[in-house]
């Protein structure tokens, strides 16, 4: 197997050609990517379920909208916390209960007491489930043109308007991808 260049911390943005309804106009933050596979969360799929309904102690630490997001089609009965710690906690080390993924973005141990992290968090999102790919599977999808790979920004994790995130991420690109942001929701109506 060829060496895999890690895409951890980057965004996968679904191309308009991606036919899988689980990922229609999805923006996925890759939390792990190596030769053993990939794992990420879909940043723009809010559910109607409030965080307080399932993880009461964490509800006050989540930003708007204060709902659980569907992180992907795998393990919908599990929860992942993704948080931004301003400055990435570089000077003082990572706060207890937070593990850096990329820059200021990291995973939260939802079994830890929320008050351990309350003062360190800049933003927090709770995801039910995740998106996962086996060894080489994501690389195959990239080769087929299913995803654009772009840099993430800490604000992507906590976008107050997740329904606009797909267009916003594409629009900020400095190449032809910015034009894709204008792609109609239904190309047949064009």
């Amino acid at each position: 197997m060829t060496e895999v260049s890690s895409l951890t911390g980057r965004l996968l943005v679904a191309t308009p050609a991606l036919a899988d309804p689980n990922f229609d106009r999805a923006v996925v933050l890759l939390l792990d990517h190596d030769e053993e596979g990939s794992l990420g969360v879909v940043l723009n799929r809010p559910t109607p379920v409030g965080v307080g309904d399932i993880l009461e102690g964490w509800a006050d630490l989540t930003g708007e909208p204060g709902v659980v997001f569907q992180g992907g089609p795998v393990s919908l009965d599990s929860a992942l916390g993704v948080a931004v710690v301003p400055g990435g906690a570089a000077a003082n080390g990572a706060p207890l209960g937070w593990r850096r993924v990329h820059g200021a973005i990291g995973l939260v141990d939802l079994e830890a007491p929320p008050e351990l992290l309350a003062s360190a968090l800049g933003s927090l999102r709770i995801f039910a489930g995740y998106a996962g790919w086996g060894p080489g599977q994501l690389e195959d999808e990239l080769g087929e043109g299913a995803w654009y790979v772009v840099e993430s920004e800490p604000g992507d994790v906590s976008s107050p308007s997740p329904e606009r995130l797909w267009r916003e991420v594409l629009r900020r690109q400095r190449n032809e991808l910015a034009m894709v942001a204008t792609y109609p929701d239904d190309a047949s109506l064009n």
Side-chain angles (χ1 to χ4, degrees):
M1 180 174 179
T2 60
E3 184 178 323
V4 173
S5 177
S6 181
L7 300 176
T8 298
R10 298 185 76 189
L11 297 178
L12 298 177
V13 181
T15 68
L18 183 60
D20 185 339
N22 290 306
F23 297 109
D24 181 46
R25 303 261 170 141
V27 177
V28 178
L29 173 65
L30 282 176
L31 301 172
D32 192 25
H33 177 249
D34 58 27
E35 64 280 343
E36 295 178 17
S38 304
L39 180 139
V41 289
V42 179
L43 297 177
N44 58 337
R45 296 280 191 273
T47 72
V49 179
V51 171
D53 294 341
I54 60 165
L55 292 169
E56 187 177 338
W58 293 98
D60 291 340
L61 300 178
T62 58
E64 289 300 319
V67 297
V68 175
F69 281 66
Q70 184 174 337
V74 181
S75 293
L76 292 173
D77 58 346
S78 66
L80 284 169
V82 178
V84 174
V85 171
N92 304 334
L96 286 175
W98 181 82
R99 181 180 61 82
R100 181 186 322 278
V101 170
H102 177 77
I105 301 168
L107 286 168
V108 171
D109 177 0
L110 296 174
E111 298 293 323
E115 53 275 5
L116 263 181
L117 285 160
S119 65
L121 297 183
S123 63
L124 170 67
R125 276 271 153 83
I126 304 296
F127 297 91
Y130 61 91
W133 294 264
Q137 187 179 4
L138 179 58
E139 288 73 19
D140 290 346
E141 290 182 16
L142 291 171
E144 295 165 1
W147 301 99
Y148 303 119
V149 179
V150 301
E151 294 299 322
S152 65
E153 294 181 0
D156 297 333
V157 171
S158 59
S159 172
S161 304
E163 70 282 353
R164 296 196 313 242
L165 190 60
W166 186 83
R167 290 188 193 284
E168 289 172 355
V169 168
L170 288 170
R171 196 171 290 124
R172 74 178 183 230
Q173 303 310 306
R174 297 178 183 248
N175 53 34
E176 64 277 355
L177 286 184
M179 293 295 291
V180 177
T182 64
Y183 197 85
D185 291 336
D186 184 350
S188 68
L189 299 176
N190 211 7

